[in-house]
Amino acid sequence: MGADIGDVVDGEEVALDSLDGAVALDAYNAIYGFLANIRQRDGTPLKDSKGRVTSHLSGLLYRTANLYEAGLKPCYVFDGPPPELKSATVEERRERKQEAEERYEEAARRGDEAEMLKHAQRATSLDQPQVETSVALLEALNVPWMEAPSEGEAQAAYMCREGDVAQVGSQDYDALLFGAPVLVRNLTIRGRGGSDLTPVRYVLDDVLADLDLTREELIEIGVLVGTDYNDGVHGVGPKTALDVVRDGETRERLEDGDPDADLDEIMELYLDPDVTDDYTLEWREPDRDAVVDLLCGEHDFGESRVEKAVERIEEATTQSSLDRWG
Amino acid sequence: MFQAKINAGLLQSSIDAVGVFVDECKVRVDSEGLSVKAVDPANVGMVELDVPADSFDSFEADDELLGLNLTKFDDIIGMAKAGDVVALELDPETGKLKIQIDGLRYTLSLIDPESIHQEPNVPDLDLPGEVVLAGAEINRGIKASGMVSDHMAFGVEDKSFYMSAEGDQDDVRVDLTEDEVISLTAEEDARSLFSLDYLESMSKAIPSDAQVTLYVGSDFPVRMEFELQGGDADVSYLLAPRIENE
């Protein structure tokens, strides 16, 4: 989930077509979004004839094609092992999902489609088979992907700071805390009813200048409202947190409200996360036969729609842009 | 201030040359004449158009930047007959463009230039191959290539210029030796591949009787320069290459 600081950071709505360059996408964040949102009205995800979930493959293929077509070059960054501090969050999420699953069953017994959809989305889990098929699809599409040494968003933010990608794509604001110069939300997500959401672009320097804060102080806001590494102070939202940080009272409030949080340790995780230079970004032409074999052969996708999406990616990967010589 | 009279045919072919890549563009007018620089939304093809003040029947302009909807403008100019003169005048009160063609008056709303895709920076490229040939030759090579593939190559080797396309089944190749073209300079062999989608649209704007100067490099953009109506307007195209995998 990441730190919910959306109420205090201002972004700019931008047209998808106006974005260009490489984008490092938080892979788990994107795939989780596909699994949660690409569902039928009663919450049933897309499945192949063997009953295996395919919502994530559908999302990956069509969104990736859309991003390419808009002039972006996507690469997917998967989480590696989480930092130790995050294990509490992971456990808590597991419990929440279990509860949602139970409530989904209840709703199903009542036949309440709206409730079923809601709880099915909350119960979304991203398991190993889905990660594996996602990676297989990215390989077939020749879309670059990598596993981060630790947090995907930290690695994506690092690649953006290095100038290897022009922006990070995620729904979470954590990328800003990790120091990504540019974060774009709504790149891989669709709104209710399948309509596209407008991308929102956040420029870290502008965000900090607007709030007159340092990045460390922005992280403090995150810690006060709660991050993947701590619970946050009960009853403190981003706006209150902003006042607390401006008053220089972060440590006091944490001592009272979230005594387990170690501000220095969390600060360190955001400022100096485990990242790597071991990646290559190459956007090559998709292997059309491999994509068709995987999606149509294995998972019962319709061939003509898949071919069309592959063609859109082919076009984008075979035609260079004048920017290269600009 | 902008007020000018121009031959309808020249105006039409100038718009068509720009319309290959964009539906709207920024038009610059100043004492030197009228010019446009535009790039298509995918940033693959670029056009520079220059119509010097001398090419107009009459021309007066202070520095102005006009945002023009080309599709609409093209339709209006299409109302002119061969040999008609088109009078253009920017109304300083309304900011609209008054167009007059043989008794027909059309007041065209302009687009806020700020809302139009930024004018591109023209890259400075050192392209080793330079060939001058008739527009008809290039158009023929493009047409033949379009029959077999969706992309084609321009290249120079052994003192000749070639256009070629390889399809799944059929191949096309046009070789023109040094003697068969107007002039050819090649410092080294060069070859680049281009999308026929783009080339076929560009081809429509290249007059058969124009003398085209084509600059080619290895996996570099191609530049094509030619004149409309015997020297009345200069057009320069720049097209980014296809990426050759493997």
Side-chain angles (χ1 to χ4, degrees), chain B residues 164-176:
Chain B
S164 70
E166 287 171 22
D168 289 337
Q169 328 241 296
D170 305 335
D171 296 344
V172 161
R173 188 173 167 108
V174 181
D175 281 285
L176 296 167

Side-chain angles (χ1 to χ4, degrees), chain B residues 3-96:
Chain B
Q3 195 171 345
K5 286 187 178 150
I6 186 169
N7 173 277
L10 174 59
L11 184 58
Q12 183 91 56
S13 51
S14 300
I15 303 162
D16 291 346
V18 177
V20 165
F21 291 130
V22 289
D23 295 330
E24 45 189 49
C25 68
K26 295 181 197 179
V27 177
R28 276 181 195 280
V29 289
D30 56 29
S31 56
E32 306 279 306
L34 177 154
S35 65
V36 175
K37 261 198 279 183
V39 65
D40 84 299
N43 232 323
V44 174
M46 186 184 291
V47 55
E48 290 171 87
L49 167 76
D50 199 5
V51 192
D54 287 352
S55 304
F56 290 80
D57 295 353
S58 69
F59 187 91
E60 271 182 276
D62 298 328
D63 292 4
E64 299 276 3
L65 189 60
L66 319 177
L68 202 59
N69 178 324
L70 283 176
T71 323
K72 240 187 200 179
F73 193 55
D74 193 42
D75 285 347
I76 303 162
I77 306 308
M79 307 292 287
K81 296 183 298 291
D84 273 353
V85 168
V86 180
L88 304 170
E89 188 183 352
L90 180 66
D91 186 332
E93 301 283 306
T94 60
K96 294 184 181 185

Side-chain angles (χ1 to χ4, degrees), chain A residues 243-272:
Chain A
D243 291 336
V244 173
V245 171
R246 282 183 174 151
D247 293 342
E249 288 169 358
T250 305
R251 279 177 200 279
E252 290 160 41
R253 291 299 290 266
L254 280 175
E255 265 168 39
D256 293 340
D258 184 8
D260 291 340
D262 181 337
L263 183 61
D264 298 319
E265 194 179 354
I266 298 170
M267 192 65 77
E268 185 74 9
L269 282 171
Y270 280 117
L271 292 176
D272 189 21

Side-chain angles (χ1 to χ4, degrees), chain A residues 134-174:
Chain A
S134 295
V135 166
L137 178 57
L138 293 174
E139 283 279 315
L141 289 171
N142 271 324
V143 171
W145 68 275
M146 69 174 299
E147 186 179 304
S150 182
E151 301 271 0
E153 281 194 303
Q155 177 66 28
Y158 174 72
M159 290 155 82
C160 191
R161 276 209 310 278
E162 290 292 290
D164 290 328
V165 300
Q167 56 248 311
V168 173
S170 176
Q171 290 311 96
D172 288 355
Y173 296 97
D174 275 22

Side-chain angles (χ1 to χ4, degrees), chain B residues 152-171:
Chain B
M152 70 178 288
F154 289 124
V156 284
E157 69 184 6
D158 301 334
K159 307 222 164 192
S160 77
F161 168 70
Y162 67 89
M163 298 177 267
S164 70
E166 287 171 22
D168 289 337
Q169 328 241 296
D170 305 335
D171 296 344

